[in-house]
Amino acid sequence: MSTTGVRTGVWFIGARGSVATTATAGCAAVAAGLHPGAGMVTETAPFADSGLPPVTSLVFGGHDTLDCPLPKRAEALAAGGVLPHGLPSAVRSELAAADAEIRTGGPLPGDTRTDEELITAFATDLTGFGRRNGLARTVVVNVASTEPAPAADATRLPASSLYAAAALRAGCPYVNFTPSTGLRTPALQDAATASGLPYAGRDGKTGQTLLRSVLAPMFVQRALPVRAWSGTNLLGGGDGAALADPAAAAAKNAGKERVLADTLGAAPEGEVHIDDVPALGDWKTAWDHIAFDGFLGARMVLQTTWQGCDSALAAPLVLDLARLLARAHETGLSGPLPELGFYFKDPDGGPAALSEQYLALLAFAERLRGEK
């Protein structure tokens, strides 16, 4: 079983972004007893004694192309209401320590390195992180901005796949919390299989799709045909800017649509629109309009509105996933982990309904508990 003396690395791709900064500051706050672990499923009773690494044992680092120091980034998030007032000061030393372990990512504009050279450089950063900090293992978690899907005739790997390949080469379990390609490219399939590493993804389920995965089974179980399901997302911050690109938005919406198609049996009419509203900062409003038929064809409508902070919703989930993948790696599990579909819009197999996914996750926790 994992012990408190073992240290586990969490390497964020996008380490200075809102999600990674919130997760790093939040983990420090939970470890110090300053705040409870609300939103962390792994901190609930069913996961006790599962051998997960304690939050106090996690060490953070990562790659990013931005140069804003983590303490300053955390202060900006506190000013925007994402982090509690005073928290950046309370965990400044932990943020500074994590910031010292952030390395420049890429490829940056004008970077002439080949894919192989970039992968080698990223993998070297990972192994150096583990060596400097005496880590038993490091879990790589992609929380970078969504990238467009690569063209069919692309000759270079997308950035997310370069980082994923580096994780495999460095012997690190991998989580893709974004809709970006990551390991889901034929170029990395053989390497992923040969690595013997556990991995999970993709695209974290935090807001609108979380509701969809709860509501869609209700319509199926109550035999209420859904005629149309439309949605709108209003968001700002880095995600809003990234998703203003139609190609990136299309990659994001694919996961949202998959949940409905998998659960309802077919994709209903309607689309999801994503609008960048910079004034909203890290806050998001998601609205859904569901048209369905009742008895004798009675036409009815359900509307939902979800208002929340994506970073605060995502941060506890990526901490969960880092702990679960670390424990899976410790016990010798390898390959995709469909039991972790509870966390994703586009998971590696498994059921689509959240209730069924939760039961699968609990069974996974029991499996980890039984591994000595």
Side-chain angles (χ1 to χ4, degrees):
M1 300 290 283
S2 295
T3 65
T4 56
V6 175
R7 304 219 303 168
T8 298
V10 180
W11 187 267
F12 285 128
I13 309 303
R16 291 189 171 113
S18 296
V19 173
T21 305
T22 303
T24 303
C27 184
V30 173
L34 300 176
H35 289 272
M40 291 185 66
V41 181
T42 54
E43 284 292 283
T44 60
F47 293 84
D49 301 321
S50 292
L52 304 182
V55 292
T56 53
S57 73
L58 301 183
V59 181
F60 295 92
H63 280 118
D64 209 317
T65 56
L66 303 177
D67 57 7
C68 178
L70 274 183
K72 185 175 180 180
R73 186 75 182 91
E75 289 170 1
L77 290 175
V82 178
L83 295 179
H85 176 71
L87 182 61
S89 296
V91 298
R92 180 171 294 275
S93 62
E94 290 89 342
L95 290 170
D99 192 69
E101 292 290 356
I102 296 177
R103 299 295 179 264
T104 303
L108 295 167
D111 196 330
T112 60
R113 288 176 292 177
T114 65
D115 284 359
E116 175 61 26
E117 289 171 333
L118 287 162
I119 293 168
T120 299
F122 297 158
T124 299
D125 291 337
L126 279 165
T127 55
F129 173 63
R131 184 175 57 253
R132 283 189 303 277
N133 292 281
L135 305 176
R137 58 191 50 82
T138 296
V139 180
V140 175
V141 185
N142 182 18
V143 288
S145 296
T146 300
E147 65 187 15
D153 59 351
T155 58
R156 298 286 302 266
L157 288 173
S160 65
S161 296
L162 296 174
Y163 290 120
L168 298 180
R169 186 169 299 182
C172 299
Y174 174 79
V175 177
N176 188 4
F177 203 72
T178 80
S180 301
T181 304
L183 285 177
R184 299 233 188 135
T185 171
L188 296 182
Q189 286 182 355
D190 289 344
T193 301
S195 71
L197 295 165
Y199 53 89
R202 75 183 161 178
D203 198 4
K205 183 165 55 185
T206 58
Q208 184 180 48
T209 309
L210 180 65
L211 282 180
R212 288 181 167 208
S213 65
V214 172
L215 291 174
M218 176 193 73
F219 288 105
V220 172
Q221 293 161 7
R222 293 294 296 269
L224 299 171
V226 174
R227 292 184 290 108
W229 199 314
S230 301
T232 295
N233 277 261
L234 308 176
L235 69 162
D239 274 352
L243 295 173
D245 178 353
K252 183 74 171 178
N253 285 336
K256 294 177 180 290
E257 294 165 358
R258 175 183 169 175
V259 168
L260 295 182
D262 286 355
T263 306
L264 300 176
E269 293 182 8
E271 298 178 345
V272 176
H273 296 276
I274 299 177
D275 295 328
D276 178 24
V277 185
L280 293 179
D282 285 282
W283 297 83
K284 180 174 77 172
T285 296
W287 171 77
D288 272 18
H289 183 282
I290 308 158
F292 64 99
D293 290 338
F295 190 52
L296 305 180
R299 296 293 182 95
M300 291 179 271
V301 168
L302 171 65
Q303 294 185 16
T304 66
T305 302
W306 175 283
Q307 294 179 307
C309 174
D310 244 11
S311 302
L313 291 165
L317 305 186
V318 299
L319 293 173
D320 277 353
L321 286 162
R323 299 173 78 194
L324 289 162
L325 265 292
R327 176 61 175 150
H329 183 247
E330 181 186 16
T331 60
L333 298 181
S334 64
L337 300 179
E339 299 92 339
L340 302 187
F342 174 78
Y343 293 98
F344 298 104
K345 296 182 182 73
D346 186 13
D348 296 307
L354 190 70
S355 58
E356 295 174 359
Q357 291 174 334
Y358 181 63
L359 293 177
L361 180 63
L362 294 184
F364 186 66
E366 187 62 32
R367 179 182 180 185
L368 295 180
R369 183 177 294 110
E371 298 286 346
K372 302 297 183 182

